[in-house]
Amino acid sequence: IKTLKKHLEEKKINKAIIVPHYTFDQKTAFENNKKILEIISKTENIYGGIWANPLPTETEKNKKALESIPHKKIIAIKICPQAWPKGKYTMDPDTWDSELAENMKNIIDCTKKHNLIIQMHTGTGNSDIRHYSKFVDEFGKGLRIQFIHMGSSPGGHFSFIPRFIDWLKKGYDFYCDTAESRGFAASWLVK
């Protein structure tokens, strides 16, 4: 906490959000939620995001994570499809079995009920933005989504940016960041 506070002061950052880093080790990922809750409870200007994972094997951990909400300083739920088995599940609801669908419903309902942002990664494989289209059609209204990395690679940017702009024009409450994006992507999006 001391190091984080010092960094914010040195960089003149007034507020920050911290979230668990994505990892394939789900035990560690969920345990990081405790660290997030500890840090935000001991700092005034730092907010947090809670790790969630809808995999059937993570149902109990996921349920416990969602029970930590509402919390006045939790502003996001982070769900990372890179933690899902490759080739089995994607953000396309047609790939979900009934338990994963129920877990996703719980995450989405919690996000909407408490006006949180759901952070979702974009990139290759399970995170390919093309997998999100049906998800957005079915669940996007009333959901605030931050698409992390804007597609992540040049090909991903070409898939992401036109879809993102189209979703914004349709009135979706979506956001993105430029982390790991290639140089042309941010300027293209702004233009």
Side-chain angles (χ1 to χ4, degrees):
I1 294 173
K2 287 179 184 177
T3 304
L4 182 56
K5 284 182 175 180
K6 183 179 177 187
H7 176 76
L8 295 178
E9 287 170 11
E10 287 175 357
K11 303 297 182 187
K12 296 182 173 53
I13 299 170
N14 296 329
K15 293 181 183 178
I17 179 173
I18 55 172
V19 294
H21 190 273
Y22 55 91
T23 174
F24 290 101
D25 175 7
Q26 293 306 289
K27 183 178 179 191
T28 301
F30 279 103
E31 285 175 357
N32 284 337
N33 285 340
K34 294 175 192 170
K35 294 177 185 175
I36 299 295
L37 290 166
E38 178 188 357
I39 291 167
I40 65 175
S41 69
K42 294 180 179 178
T43 55
E44 188 176 317
N45 59 339
I46 300 174
Y47 298 83
I50 290 294
W51 178 270
N53 185 325
L55 279 178
T57 56
E58 307 305 327
T59 297
E60 287 306 311
K61 290 187 200 98
N62 196 62
K63 183 179 176 187
K64 188 173 180 183
L66 296 179
E67 286 172 356
S68 66
I69 301 168
H71 186 292
K72 64 182 181 178
K73 292 184 75 184
I74 293 295
I75 61 174
I77 294 177
K78 181 171 184 169
I79 179 170
C80 185
Q82 282 101 329
W84 300 3
K86 289 190 176 187
K88 184 167 185 182
Y89 301 116
T90 70
M91 287 308 299
D92 182 340
D94 288 343
T95 68
W96 303 348
D97 58 32
S98 60
E99 194 169 0
L100 190 138
E102 181 65 23
N103 290 343
M104 280 299 295
K105 179 184 181 303
N106 292 337
I107 293 168
I108 292 165
D109 289 349
C110 183
T111 303
K112 288 182 176 181
K113 179 178 180 182
H114 301 292
N115 195 30
L116 304 174
I117 294 173
I118 188 165
Q119 295 181 324
M120 300 176 146
H121 283 248
T122 60
T124 59
N126 294 8
S127 301
D128 190 307
I129 195 64
R130 293 173 291 186
H131 296 309
Y132 283 87
S133 294
K134 190 163 185 184
F135 174 83
V136 168
D137 289 345
E138 287 190 28
F139 304 105
K141 289 296 181 188
L143 190 62
R144 298 166 68 208
I145 301 175
Q146 177 188 4
F147 292 101
I148 308 292
H149 304 317
M150 293 176 53
S152 191
S153 65
H157 298 324
F158 288 120
S159 291
F160 174 78
I161 292 173
R163 281 178 174 80
F164 184 70
I165 291 169
D166 185 52
W167 288 331
L168 294 180
K169 286 179 179 177
K170 289 178 179 177
Y172 290 104
D173 194 5
F174 292 169
Y175 307 83
C176 69
D177 65 75
T178 58
E180 292 190 14
S181 65
R182 303 310 187 263
F184 73 92
S187 59
W188 178 28
L189 178 62
V190 171
K191 287 176 186 172

